[in-house]
Amino acid sequence: MAIQEDDFKRVISHAKEYGFVFQSSEIYDGLSAVYDYAQQGVALKNNIKDYWWRAMVQMNNHIVGIDSAIFMHPTIWKASGHIDAFNDPLIDNKDSKKRYRADVLIEDHVAKIEAKIEKELAKAAKRFGDAFDPEQYKATNERVAGYVASSKNILARMGDALTAEDLQGVKSLIEELGIVCPISGSANWTDVKQFNLMFGTKIGASADTAMDLYLRPETAQGIFVNFLNVQKTGRMKIPFGIAQIGKAFRNEIVARQFIFRQREFEQMELQFFVRPGTQKEWYEKWKETRMKWHYSLGFSPDNYRFHDHDKLAHYADAAADIEFKFPFGFKELEGIHSRTDFDLSSHEKYSGKKLQFFDPELNESYVPYVVETSIGVDRMFLAIFSKALEEETLENGSTRTVLKLPAVLAPTKAAILPLVKKDGLSELAQSIFEELQWDFAVSYDEKDAVGRRYRRQDALGTPFCITVDHQTKEDQTVTIRHRDTMAQERVAISELSQIIDRAVNVKHWLQKMK
Ligand code: GAP
């Protein structure tokens, strides 16, 4: 656990030191759970969004994108159920006066049990070597099987209590598990209460005519209320999807874990409209497709797992998370929800407008069912960034910090470095930079010794360093250094564009989904 916490601290400080993520309003001591993306961070974030958009919209003829407004008519949130049901169960510790999400306290308790399982598995893997089968060990080793059963049982009991809105049951579970406040160390808890997560604001010039609004807590509703406009103007036939990337806002109480849980964040959501009765099939299909998208980025599949929900949201008939192995354990990265016809039917009811599709094959109109995929851009950023960050010990015993980002997502694809500033090398390097700039995000750096510049580019996740030296003047060749292997090769300047393109082209990466 301590190692994981250290890893996480390293991730946060690396993100700051190299210009990826800053605390919002830092010179005013910051704003809790709000972050700014800096010069490197915004590029990585944009690349993540582009990778998603291309996979979802560009590569699917039956999916289109929109960008709806953050401000929406307040009745939308009544219809969607957010005013009545978008709550977190909160509990206060009477001694520390600190407030917690009751379900997170229980989940953290389960995470500790899961850490014990991982530890036992790691020990056993060392003992048994290649023949080790973790699943079999989990089922047969008495102690580990006990941990597995206990964590499942706790989560199931929590799910049941939350579904039944049995807040007293949630409190009893916390007490029974002996969960204490991390600050005061006491189990002196208040009752569990529900707390609505939406931020309110007002629109209008004078106090008496101003209208109460909410900052949207999800982008999905902007898609639902535009369903008919898009279907008609785009001449879309079911099944079809509408995708959107945009900001969402939630007054999160448990504000920690860096950009994992923020009050202002970005979502990439797809609402896929299907014929009623086919939703299960599409739900399974989207689960598979989305997992393939994650795998295409090249991190080990061990970092991902599905978690099927025991407790379903008010709109869903099936739901699963894609969980990722963050430095603080497996946590939700993306949600896939079979949302039934809940949202469209409810908007029909509240708006008085029909939101139906005439299906020419069935010769009938119906309210479509919806399968949703929803992933936080910031969580995706944290997943990629934390997994890519490595501290390597080299053969000569020195260490290097390297950010092994998938090349397609790297903020800078290549850095152009003159070996020295004199002898016309700067001018030559500058001209290569200016040529590559038309096609790729590249940078130019002539400060410090070249070894130090390599290390800096490693830490920024730049896949290639291109060094211009005296030989370049003679034969129009440069050295290209590969970030992950540190291997260097001599290539012609005329080949550079092709080499970089092969490594960073979105097409090559997305083709791995096939
Ligand atoms: N439209 C469905 C929806 O919003 P959700 O599970 O509440 O579902 C979807 O959120 C995704 O949005 C999550 O899987 C997560 O990646 C991201 N997300 C949710 N709350 C977040 C927060 N406070 N900070 C950062 N990302 C968040």
Side-chain angles (χ1 to χ4, degrees):
M1 199 62 173
I3 291 169
Q4 289 184 349
E5 272 168 25
D6 282 353
D7 280 350
F8 193 35
K9 278 190 192 147
R10 208 155 47 82
V11 166
I12 299 169
S13 67
H14 193 88
K16 179 169 182 192
E17 188 181 343
Y18 286 92
F20 283 87
V21 182
F22 300 146
Q23 171 84 65
S24 160
S25 323
E26 197 188 83
I27 59 168
Y28 291 95
D29 297 331
L31 194 59
S32 162
V34 188
Y35 291 90
D36 296 338
Y37 286 83
Q39 67 278 14
Q40 297 294 333
V42 70
L44 174 54
K45 201 178 182 207
N46 284 342
N47 292 344
I48 291 172
K49 290 193 271 187
D50 183 57
Y51 195 65
W52 183 88
W53 190 267
R54 293 222 201 187
M56 302 297 270
V57 182
Q58 185 171 321
M59 293 309 295
N60 283 298
N61 194 29
H62 52 312
I63 297 180
V64 291
I66 63 164
D67 182 17
S68 69
I70 288 172
F71 290 151
M72 296 168 81
H73 195 285
T75 310
I76 286 171
W77 306 112
K78 186 72 192 159
S80 68
H82 282 83
I83 288 181
D84 297 321
F86 194 54
N87 301 317
D88 272 348
L90 298 186
I91 190 165
D92 291 7
N93 183 268
K94 291 182 196 162
D95 298 320
S96 67
K97 311 273 185 265
K98 286 276 170 204
R99 178 162 283 191
Y100 299 93
R101 256 177 68 176
D103 55 335
V104 171
L105 280 180
I106 297 170
E107 278 169 8
D108 283 353
H109 181 84
V110 170
K112 283 185 193 149
I113 301 175
E114 284 177 349
K116 285 186 194 166
I117 299 173
E118 292 283 323
K119 211 169 154 188
E120 293 280 346
L121 289 180
K123 265 202 296 189
K126 253 194 198 158
R127 200 159 7 111
F128 294 112
D130 285 348
F132 182 61
D133 177 351
E135 288 313 312
Q136 194 189 356
Y137 195 75
K138 272 196 224 169
T140 51
N141 179 283
E142 210 174 303
R143 191 171 33 221
V144 176
Y147 289 147
V148 172
S150 153
S151 54
K152 273 198 183 138
N153 176 268
I154 295 169
L155 289 177
R157 282 180 62 194
M158 180 180 83
D160 289 347
L162 289 171
T163 309
E165 304 245 342
D166 174 13
L167 299 182
Q168 186 51 45
V170 177
K171 181 181 178 186
S172 304
L173 185 57
I174 289 175
E175 287 172 336
E176 190 188 311
L177 296 172
I179 296 175
V180 295
C181 166
I183 309 285
S184 68
S186 88
N188 193 7
W189 297 109
T190 62
D191 285 342
V192 179
K193 288 196 196 87
Q194 293 287 21
F195 172 83
N196 194 286
L197 295 180
M198 283 197 295
F199 283 105
T201 184
K202 286 185 186 298
I203 195 167
S206 71
D208 35 324
T209 57
M211 189 186 204
D212 286 318
L213 289 190
Y214 295 99
L215 297 186
R216 66 180 180 197
E218 61 172 12
T219 60
Q221 297 305 322
I223 295 179
F224 291 125
V225 298
N226 279 297
F227 159 73
L228 211 54
N229 281 341
V230 173
Q231 190 270 316
K232 288 217 146 76
T233 56
R235 297 179 299 155
M236 311 300 289
K237 284 203 172 57
I238 279 195
F240 76 92
I242 306 179
Q244 162 153 246
I245 299 178
K247 290 264 183 174
F249 304 83
R250 295 182 188 178
N251 196 1
E252 299 282 3
I253 294 309
V254 182
R256 59 190 169 125
Q257 292 166 327
F258 192 39
I259 53 173
F260 180 82
R261 197 182 301 286
Q262 296 175 88
R263 297 199 163 111
E264 174 181 339
F265 56 100
E266 252 182 304
Q267 290 184 316
M268 305 188 279
E269 297 203 298
L270 165 74
Q271 308 302 322
F272 198 73
F273 301 93
V274 304
R275 199 181 267 176
T278 63
Q279 71 270 20
K280 270 269 142 56
E281 200 182 301
W282 284 106
Y283 169 72
E284 294 302 335
K285 189 171 172 340
W286 276 110
K287 271 176 80 175
E288 191 194 339
T289 306
R290 291 304 303 146
M291 195 57 116
K292 279 189 186 164
W293 183 81
H294 288 286
Y295 287 170
S296 74
L297 287 168
F299 294 108
S300 160
D302 299 352
N303 291 301
Y304 305 85
R305 70 182 187 194
F306 282 116
H307 168 237
D308 295 314
H309 283 206
D310 294 323
K311 182 196 177 229
L312 292 174
H314 58 274
Y315 49 73
D317 69 0
D321 295 335
I322 293 177
E323 292 187 337
F324 184 78
K325 203 178 197 176
F326 287 97
F328 38 83
F330 269 104
K331 293 274 177 201
E332 175 185 344
L333 171 60
E334 169 157 8
I336 295 136
H337 312 121
S338 174
R339 286 181 84 123
T340 67
D341 60 351
F342 172 84
D343 301 86
L344 289 181
S345 296
S346 191
H347 287 305
E348 273 199 330
K349 192 169 116 204
Y350 279 87
S351 67
K353 311 274 171 14
K354 266 200 167 5
L355 295 174
Q356 304 198 354
F357 172 75
F358 176 74
D359 192 325
E361 281 173 30
L362 299 181
N363 200 24
E364 68 180 54
S365 293
Y366 52 76
V367 177
Y369 271 48
V370 172
V371 174
E372 166 186 75
T373 73
S374 175
I375 176 166
V377 180
D378 315 82
R379 270 191 205 179
M380 185 63 193
F381 184 111
L382 183 58
I384 296 289
F385 191 85
S386 57
K387 203 49 71 183
L389 187 61
E390 288 185 19
E391 198 72 44
E392 272 184 1
T393 305
L394 306 179
E395 272 173 16
N396 65 6
S398 67
T399 57
R400 73 160 182 157
T401 302
V402 52
L403 194 60
K404 292 187 174 170
L405 293 171
V408 67
L409 301 182
T412 306
K413 306 306 184 194
I416 326 299
L417 318 171
L419 187 63
V420 288
K421 278 190 241 176
K422 51 187 190 192
D423 306 331
L425 299 189
S426 292
E427 290 75 7
L428 197 47
Q430 190 76 37
S431 70
I432 295 173
F433 165 74
E434 282 168 13
E435 189 50 40
L436 291 174
Q437 200 174 31
W438 287 103
D439 295 311
F440 308 105
V442 285
S443 67
Y444 174 85
D445 187 11
E446 58 177 26
K447 195 169 170 278
D448 295 329
V450 77
R452 289 185 70 160
R453 281 180 273 162
Y454 285 157
R455 288 288 188 273
R456 180 166 171 79
Q457 295 303 329
D458 287 345
L460 292 172
T462 308
F464 299 110
C465 284
I466 294 161
T467 307
V468 173
D469 55 21
H470 293 92
Q471 193 181 328
T472 311
K473 291 207 298 188
E474 312 289 315
D475 62 5
Q476 297 293 299
T477 64
V478 289
T479 347
I480 186 158
R481 174 185 178 273
H482 299 256
R483 177 196 65 198
D484 297 351
T485 58
M486 295 192 293
Q488 299 191 19
E489 53 180 328
R490 193 101 207 156
V491 301
I493 295 173
S494 57
E495 289 176 273
L496 283 174
S497 197
Q498 216 184 359
I499 295 173
I500 301 171
D501 185 66
R502 221 180 295 135
V504 308
N505 194 312
V506 181
K507 177 177 168 185
H508 300 149
W509 288 81
L510 283 181
Q511 276 174 340
K512 294 181 203 160
M513 281 180 76
K514 294 261 178 245

